[in-house]
Amino acid sequence: MRLLLVEDEKKVADFVARGLRAERLAVDVAYDGNAGWDLASKVDYDLIILDLMLPGMSGTEVLRRLRRHGRNAATLILTARDATADKVENFDAGADDYLTKPFAFAELLVRVKALLRRPPVSRSPVLRIADLELDRQTQQVRRGGKRIELTAKEYGLLEYLASHPGRVLSRTMIVEHVWDESFEGLTNIVDVYVRHLRTKVDDPFPVKLIQTVRGAGYCLTEAAQE
Ligand code: CA
């Protein structure tokens, strides 16, 4: 696993890098924001540990640029800034974890290990299947550039399907992921909602995206299933 540490306090940077290397992790260090961005934009890191207050580009700006460029490296913010507003801003910008200074190395290490265990995920807030677009941050849905109004459950169902494009999802899987424990109905609720969704997302358009896979479930894909 290859990590990038962006930290301008040399003592902290050296201490953290030494500790991580002792765990057999490969660690590159950048001592300012511009050098951090430069490395992060060129190397496909598994994890980036990012200070916020840096000379040159701020840590938040490095993070924003990374996500804008579709860079999916897990990111842990390591900073003295402990205000909720800072945490919210950086999680919104695409951070995966946030640890405030002063910190214990043992805690940094367990967080690093937990992040490295996660499978890579798509971090773009926008899911795209053909001309369908779902913005997971604003929960807005568009098709062919046209805004589509959905209810909360219709949106939940579409988001679940769109997060697994091309994959057949059974009614049971859909109910488990889209409805909560308070729901005690039958899985045919899925068919009802798929019908609602189709009238809004597919019926007005020539290409149908929501496919019924007989005996198996549903699938969101551009290619029609037999
Ligand atoms: Ca700093």
Side-chain angles (χ1 to χ4, degrees):
M1 293 290 190
R2 186 157 172 201
L3 278 61
L4 171 64
L5 171 65
V6 189
E7 167 64 76
D8 62 317
E9 275 171 79
K10 200 163 180 305
K11 260 170 70 179
V12 176
D14 293 349
F15 160 75
V16 169
R18 215 172 26 245
L20 294 173
R21 285 178 188 135
E23 298 291 323
R24 302 182 179 180
L25 296 164
V27 185
D28 295 337
V29 182
Y31 297 103
D32 65 70
N34 295 323
W37 163 244
D38 193 46
L39 279 170
S41 61
K42 287 176 187 151
V43 180
D44 188 18
Y45 289 104
D46 299 294
L47 172 69
I48 299 173
I49 301 172
L50 203 50
D51 183 18
L52 291 182
M53 289 178 278
L54 294 164
M57 203 184 297
S58 76
T60 307
E61 182 54 26
V62 173
L63 177 58
R64 286 216 173 91
R65 284 195 187 197
L66 277 171
R67 297 307 185 227
R68 248 195 334 261
H69 285 74
R71 289 278 176 178
N72 286 343
T75 306
L76 184 153
I77 304 293
L78 184 62
T79 179
R81 291 197 170 168
D82 59 359
T84 301
D86 290 314
K87 294 178 187 172
V88 169
E89 182 187 11
N90 284 281
F91 275 108
D92 274 348
D96 297 284
D97 200 359
Y98 197 106
L99 182 60
T100 50
K101 297 172 183 170
F103 63 98
F105 182 76
E107 182 173 359
L108 175 67
L109 185 61
V110 289
R111 286 172 186 259
V112 163
K113 286 184 173 173
L115 289 168
L116 291 175
R117 276 199 303 267
R118 289 190 196 167
V121 290
S122 159
R123 291 169 193 283
S124 162
V126 181
L127 295 170
R128 277 193 192 86
I129 291 95
D131 58 349
L132 176 72
E133 277 186 13
L134 262 91
D135 187 324
R136 286 182 286 187
Q137 215 136 26
T138 61
Q139 305 208 334
Q140 285 191 3
V141 176
R142 286 172 197 279
R143 186 150 183 207
K146 235 180 82 188
R147 179 86 181 270
I148 297 173
E149 298 293 341
L150 299 178
T151 65
K153 272 285 164 276
E154 288 164 359
Y155 176 83
L157 172 60
L158 184 63
E159 185 189 32
Y160 183 57
L161 291 169
S163 314
H164 305 83
R167 209 175 125 195
V168 180
L169 303 168
S170 72
R171 289 170 178 80
T172 307
M173 285 164 78
I174 294 171
V175 163
E176 282 176 1
H177 287 270
V178 180
W179 276 265
D180 59 35
E181 265 187 335
S182 63
F183 174 73
E184 286 178 359
L186 299 164
T187 51
N188 70 9
I189 186 82
V190 173
D191 303 318
V192 173
Y193 273 86
V194 166
R195 228 167 18 242
H196 292 168
L197 207 50
R198 275 186 167 138
T199 63
K200 297 180 178 179
V201 170
D202 268 347
D203 289 354
F205 302 91
V207 176
K208 311 303 173 197
L209 298 176
I210 304 169
Q211 319 294 339
T212 305
V213 184
R214 279 189 62 183
Y218 293 101
C219 174
L220 192 70
T221 176
E222 209 171 346
Q225 305 262 316
E226 286 307 310

